[in-house]
Amino acid sequence: MFRGLSPRARRVVGSGRGDISMAEKTKTGLPRNTAAALSYVLGPITGVIFYVLEKDPFVRFHAMQSIVVLGGLIVLQWIFGITIVLLPIVPLLSILGFILWLVLIYKAWQGDEWEVPVVGEYARKFIKKLDKKV
């Protein structure tokens, strides 16, 4: 039954949770976890690319979260950068953003649909609104 699947995919398939295997290929031909992790690599750019190309809900969630979270961080850094009072916060925000970026890639690669607190909820709402329009 599990022949040809990685140990991680075997655990997901055999978990009884009804999860779809991470080894399953998406529309782009990539495994689901790889496509989800790659949606974070170039921030909102790859988020938009994978959101448009993929129909898999797991990948689309991570793509939208990439757009919302990393796009929001870029905007915050830009706003803080043009204000003299908040300018010293930009390096700290950059370091925290980098750590969050690594965590998001890791969580997606592991097959977790982890939401960034507060902002992840908005990503889900945006997906629902966009899916209703299409």
Side-chain angles (χ1 to χ4, degrees), residues 107-123:
K107 289 288 194 177
W109 181 261
Q110 292 298 313
D112 296 337
E113 200 168 278
W114 182 70
E115 285 185 8
V116 174
V118 181
V119 184
E121 295 173 26
Y122 286 107

Side-chain angles (χ1 to χ4, degrees), residues 8 22 31-41 58-59 61-63 65 100-114:
R8 168 94 175 127
M22 287 297 131
R32 295 174 75 218
N33 61 334
T34 303
L38 286 174
S39 68
Y40 292 106
V41 171
F58 177 76
V59 177
F61 165 74
H62 282 289
Q65 186 164 259
L100 178 62
W101 178 71
L102 291 175
V103 168
L104 289 169
I105 291 173
Y106 178 76
K107 289 288 194 177
W109 181 261
Q110 292 298 313
D112 296 337
E113 200 168 278
W114 182 70

Side-chain angles (χ1 to χ4, degrees), residues 5-109:
L5 294 178
S6 70
R8 168 94 175 127
R10 287 182 193 152
R11 284 195 309 272
V12 171
V13 172
S15 67
R17 296 180 300 183
D19 293 345
I20 298 172
S21 168
M22 287 297 131
E24 183 178 305
K25 303 286 184 193
T26 60
K27 190 175 178 183
T28 56
L30 298 168
R32 295 174 75 218
N33 61 334
T34 303
L38 286 174
S39 68
Y40 292 106
V41 171
L42 295 177
I45 296 168
T46 50
V48 169
I49 291 169
F50 277 97
Y51 189 83
V52 170
L53 293 178
E54 293 292 345
K55 299 302 175 204
D56 183 271
F58 177 76
V59 177
R60 287 175 67 97
F61 165 74
H62 282 289
M64 182 57 75
Q65 186 164 259
S66 172
I67 295 166
V68 172
V69 172
L70 301 177
L73 279 173
I74 290 169
V75 170
L76 270 177
Q77 287 178 333
W78 183 75
I79 290 171
F80 285 10
I82 61 172
T83 60
I84 295 172
V85 176
L86 299 175
L87 186 61
I89 299 174
V90 173
L92 178 63
L93 191 61
S94 298
I95 292 168
L96 293 175
F98 178 71
I99 293 168
L100 178 62
W101 178 71
L102 291 175
V103 168
L104 289 169
I105 291 173
Y106 178 76
K107 289 288 194 177
W109 181 261

